[in-house]
Amino acid sequence: MTAGGEAIRAVTVFCGAAPGGGAGYTRAADQLGRAVAEAGLDLVYGGAAVGLMGTVADAALRAGGTVTGVLPRSMLRHEIAHPGLTELRLVPDMHARKALMAELGDAFITLPGGLGTAEEFFEVLTWSQLGLHGKPCVLLDTDGYYHPLIAFLDHAVREGFVAPGDVARLLVCRRPDEVIAALHAAVPHG
Ligand code: AMP
């Protein structure tokens, strides 16, 4: 993994394999996928055709973007592989998936999602805390979905388990159209 601080050419997006309960989540995934492609950035994601994952990929492809999916072979049956991707990288297992997704992206964006999304989010955030990468991490707090998570992180800082700087590095955006600007502000020469 690179140290970060380099030009952002590809972003890795973590998001739900489900669409979630509100139309706002699908709308945000659609807007983000389009914004990524229109900014000329490649999209890296989990490779599925379902849920917010499918929505973000569809939107980027429709806008003429390059989309790489990373899917474990064992998941092909559970998460239908997106048939229209620029490239589908089949990997042996979940660990290989996360490693490749982390390597291919120059920044990480987390949209609403479930346990898998939370796990991916916390992994790149903890790797940032450990100095294993310096890539920007964005949390897209659509319709306040992540308010409880942000409250938990603040609680963990207050209780002395997390250093304030480690949470402060996290970029929280409310709307998809703020994300690209936040990335460029974090990596000015990117
Ligand atoms: P979810 O947020 O639970 O809908 O999951 C979103 C994506 O994360 C799906 O593609 C899951 O297969 C994936 N995922 C779940 N757990 C893991 C894991 N331990 N490592 C890598 N990907 C995972």
Side-chain angles (χ1 to χ4, degrees):
M1 192 179 295
T2 64
E6 294 153 22
I8 297 176
R9 295 198 172 79
V11 296
T12 292
V13 170
F14 305 126
C15 61
Y25 303 134
T26 295
R27 196 163 41 240
D30 182 75
Q31 289 171 353
L32 183 81
R34 193 168 65 238
V36 166
E38 286 176 352
L41 302 175
D42 295 347
L43 174 74
V44 177
Y45 85 116
V50 293
L52 297 191
M53 296 173 72
T55 301
V56 78
D58 284 342
L61 289 166
R62 259 200 317 274
T66 296
V67 182
T68 299
V70 183
L71 194 61
R73 282 186 195 89
S74 58
M75 294 292 290
L76 271 170
R77 249 172 298 148
H78 305 282
E79 293 181 13
I80 306 139
H82 195 299
L85 300 178
T86 314
E87 188 181 13
L88 179 65
R89 306 271 298 256
L90 292 177
V91 293
D93 55 38
M94 291 296 209
H95 287 112
R97 175 196 235 181
K98 284 192 299 180
L100 187 57
M101 288 175 77
E103 183 191 322
L104 293 177
D106 303 306
F108 305 107
I109 304 169
T110 302
L111 273 69
L115 295 177
T117 302
E119 203 252 2
E120 291 163 328
F121 166 76
F122 275 112
E123 182 166 272
V124 294
L125 196 60
T126 53
W127 287 3
S128 167
Q129 170 181 289
L130 295 171
L132 297 178
H133 71 80
K135 303 177 183 184
C137 297
V138 176
L139 186 67
L140 184 53
D141 183 28
T142 305
D143 294 343
Y145 177 73
Y146 281 121
H147 279 187
L149 181 67
I150 294 164
F152 166 73
L153 293 174
D154 290 340
H155 172 67
V157 169
R158 275 196 306 275
E159 293 301 313
F161 287 106
V162 178
D166 290 331
V167 169
R169 245 196 320 268
L170 178 64
L171 304 169
V172 179
C173 294
R174 309 278 165 213
R175 298 197 322 266
D177 60 3
E178 298 169 359
V179 171
I180 303 299
L183 289 180
H184 287 316
V187 185
H189 53 295

